[in-house]
Amino acid sequence: MINAVKMSPTRRQLLKTAMAGTAGLLGAPALRFAWAQQTGAETGNVKLADDLYIVRLPGEAAVVAQTSRDGVLLVDGGSAAGSSAVLKAVAALPNGSGKVHTLFNTHWHPEQTGSNQTLGAAGAAIIAQENTRLWLQQNITWPWNGRKFKKFAKSAQPNKTFYDKGALDSGVRYGYIADAAHTDGDLYVYFPQQNVLAVGDAAYGQGWPVIDWWTGGWIGGIVGGLQRIQTVANKETKIVPAQGPVLTLDDINAQVNMYGTIYDRLNQMLNKGHSPSEGVEAKPAKEFEAKMGNPDEFIRRAFESLWAYLSPDA
Ligand SMILES: [Zn+2]
């Protein structure tokens, strides 16, 4: 695992505040993500096992649904706008019409937590890493594009949080992806019987990832998170990201190499005192662009994330 040089919360907050003030200087705001052009390409249900499905609606992130006589378990619940369609699609699964008893939030983003209100009010256990609950308790504004997120009502917040790992009576295991690949509250859910591992946005199935450094994600965390996934998965594991098709361990291995290369290059540039814009201009993802698409927005966020995590204490 890659260890971040941890700075004190006060120091981090100061740096974040300073960076927010310069956000306008960092270049054009990101109004859409690389993958946004492609969402919708992967729609329809994917059957992973007799009792386990990916439900994917146009424009929505993946929802993993496990059905049983006791009801339904979901990993992520779609966006607020898509919630009723997602829950309807879940109810239409074989044996999916039972009550949703458990909902995992892989992280706090609205693409994952849009069913919290409905399911929380209906009495479901909403399981999340503690940091995810903390983010959902406050209003958030992303400095790079001004996007605002409203805090959740208590009934919509995760009501069963953990720090490190846990397991359900059914044998399903879950754990914290402490590397902060995407946010500082990422979790995985592993279904051992079906050998399926849901990872949210800690791994992307298509396009360049979003690095939400405002809530803790960073480029070193992408590498560390993928390395952690390598330790949980085996050769036959179906790895389900929030975006894009199901991945294999081979895919994860290739991603570790790619993001590791980019991380090293950006780290060197940071140490030489370069800016995020210079990082983008240096084209540190050059050999991956043909396959992955234009990396500029990703590189900018990645560089800023390094800045937030690795800047030496003044
Ligand atoms: Zn996300």
Side-chain angles (χ1 to χ4, degrees):
M1 307 296 162
I2 289 183
N3 289 311
V5 178
K6 287 286 182 190
M7 54 183 84
S8 72
T10 315
R11 162 80 184 151
R12 269 192 80 193
Q13 199 52 51
L14 276 174
L15 186 62
K16 282 179 170 183
T17 308
M19 289 177 71
T22 61
L25 303 175
L26 297 177
L31 294 177
R32 63 187 161 81
F33 305 128
W35 53 259
Q37 303 154 26
Q38 297 175 56
T39 49
E42 295 277 329
T43 58
N45 298 339
V46 178
K47 185 177 176 180
L48 301 165
D50 284 343
D51 63 346
L52 196 59
Y53 293 81
I54 306 171
V55 173
R56 195 185 270 292
L57 299 178
E60 292 291 324
V63 171
V64 175
Q66 185 189 27
T67 59
S68 78
R69 271 173 306 186
D70 301 328
V72 179
L73 174 154
L74 297 182
V75 181
D76 290 330
S79 70
S83 173
S84 59
V86 163
L87 296 179
K88 208 171 148 192
V90 168
L93 294 173
N95 304 312
S97 57
K99 185 180 161 91
V100 175
H101 55 73
T102 303
L103 169 68
F104 282 94
N105 290 158
T106 58
H107 58 293
W108 71 266
H109 285 163
E111 293 81 3
Q112 278 70 38
T113 51
S115 290
N116 280 31
Q117 183 69 68
T118 301
L119 296 178
I126 303 180
I127 304 177
Q129 208 277 339
E130 173 63 11
N131 287 341
T132 293
R133 187 178 69 87
L134 292 175
W135 288 122
L136 289 172
Q137 284 180 324
Q138 55 182 287
N139 296 320
I140 293 170
T141 303
W142 278 345
W144 51 87
N145 63 4
R147 192 172 167 195
K148 290 182 189 308
F149 307 92
K150 270 209 161 11
K151 64 182 172 189
F152 276 22
K154 179 107 175 108
S155 58
Q157 291 169 15
N159 50 36
K160 192 179 166 197
T161 62
F162 68 99
Y163 287 97
D164 184 30
K165 57 179 67 168
L168 303 178
D169 292 342
S170 64
V172 170
R173 303 201 301 263
Y174 52 95
Y176 183 29
I177 301 176
D179 319 272
H182 182 67
T183 71
D184 64 9
D186 305 331
L187 66 76
Y188 68 81
V189 182
Y190 183 58
F191 299 86
Q193 268 181 338
Q194 303 82 352
N195 199 4
V196 167
L197 178 64
V199 297
D201 279 335
Y204 267 54
Q206 66 190 16
W208 293 106
V210 172
I211 304 179
D212 181 357
W213 57 257
W214 187 253
T215 65
W218 72 300
I219 174 70
I222 291 182
V223 180
L226 291 166
Q227 289 173 329
R228 189 179 298 265
I229 290 168
Q230 285 177 320
T231 69
V232 181
N234 57 52
K235 274 217 161 311
E236 279 76 46
T237 305
K238 293 171 181 153
I239 301 162
V240 183
Q243 300 295 335
V246 173
L247 301 170
T248 66
L249 187 56
D250 284 343
D251 296 323
I252 298 296
N253 296 343
Q255 289 196 17
V256 168
N257 291 334
M258 177 174 73
Y259 291 114
T261 299
I262 296 169
Y263 169 64
D264 287 344
R265 289 174 184 164
L266 291 181
N267 211 14
Q268 283 169 27
M269 293 197 67
L270 181 89
N271 289 333
K272 288 177 185 160
H274 292 294
S275 69
S277 289
E278 289 169 327
V280 171
E281 282 160 24
K283 302 230 168 281
K286 202 172 177 27
E287 69 267 47
F288 310 114
E289 290 184 16
K291 181 170 176 242
M292 295 287 294
N294 185 315
D296 291 358
E297 205 53 53
F298 165 72
I299 296 296
R300 188 176 295 277
R301 288 292 94 69
F303 201 103
E304 291 168 5
S305 79
L306 269 181
W307 207 358
Y309 262 83
L310 299 177
S311 288
D313 263 1

